[in-house]
Amino acid sequence: MAAISQQALCAKTSVAGAKLNAKRVSQRKAVKAFSARAQAVAAPAGTSLKKGVVTGDDYIAVMNHARANGYAIPAVNCTMSPIINACLEAAKKANAPMIIQFSNGGGAYMAGKGLKNESDQKAAVMGCVAGALHVRALAEFYGVPIILHTDHCSKALLPWFDGLLEANEEVRDGAFPNPASLFTTPS
């Protein structure tokens, strides 16, 4: 192996350090640019957007606000309460709306491994209902609009979707506290 002179080693270290510093500066600029974009799309203070889970005209107002201000609303499939809480916290920190959604698999996971998801998809349905009620219990306290959404499903999972519609009817009949509708939009 060829020996490297002290001067060559210092020059090489200096170049590597400069590249690393340039990369750090570039990353800081990217973070600042992202933050600026996030502030530009955040719901302005005093906005009339409803806080908590939105439905009906409030949902349309959130979508119109996003369209008018040129931003997309992120959607996250949630499988357990810590993920739901992280979504709510992120929405609050960004002062922006968030879509929290549940899939068949996510609902089954939320229900727990102790429940087998039979062909009636009851475990997945109850996991999604539990997740939706968790969101509804906390969303308003985070002070941002939350859209509660169900994921799409294949034909084989229609019993799950039917179960969610039935749960929604139970909500409307007063079986669960406070919401007029369990989800903002079924897929």
Side-chain angles (χ1 to χ4, degrees):
M1 181 188 314
I4 297 179
S5 71
Q6 185 75 16
Q7 189 176 10
L9 184 58
C10 286
K12 200 173 195 181
T13 303
S14 178
V15 168
K19 284 182 182 178
L20 182 59
N21 193 33
K23 185 176 181 181
R24 285 183 183 151
V25 168
S26 175
Q27 288 172 339
R28 280 195 297 267
K29 285 181 182 177
V31 167
K32 284 181 182 177
F34 177 79
S35 296
R37 285 193 308 272
Q39 288 301 316
V41 301
T47 184
S48 62
L49 294 177
K50 180 184 179 286
K51 311 303 183 216
V53 176
V54 295
T55 59
D57 289 340
D58 295 320
Y59 166 67
I60 292 169
V62 170
M63 299 307 281
N64 287 338
H65 184 271
R67 185 179 303 116
N69 291 283
Y71 66 92
I73 301 172
V76 179
N77 273 333
C78 293
T79 57
M80 56 185 142
S81 59
I83 294 172
I84 294 169
N85 294 346
C87 290
L88 293 169
E89 290 170 21
K92 179 180 181 177
K93 186 174 181 179
N95 190 30
M98 169 81 71
I99 299 170
I100 295 178
Q101 63 186 27
F102 297 98
S103 65
N104 175 275
Y109 190 85
M110 186 164 295
K113 291 186 175 200
L115 298 178
K116 188 169 168 122
N117 201 25
E118 305 287 340
S119 62
D120 65 357
Q121 302 295 314
K122 193 68 170 172
V125 169
M126 294 318 299
C128 291
V129 168
L133 291 174
H134 180 87
V135 172
R136 285 191 165 279
L138 296 175
E140 190 173 342
F141 295 106
Y142 280 89
V144 290
I146 299 295
I147 297 165
L148 198 48
H149 184 63
T150 58
D151 204 358
H152 60 276
C153 71
S154 66
K155 201 176 216 180
L157 297 178
L158 285 177
W160 166 69
F161 196 77
D162 289 342
L164 292 176
L165 293 175
E166 289 169 14
N168 201 53
E169 288 302 314
E170 289 178 23
V171 165
R172 287 188 179 157
D173 293 341
F176 295 101
N178 77 11
S181 177
L182 196 55
F183 293 94
T184 303
T185 60
S187 182

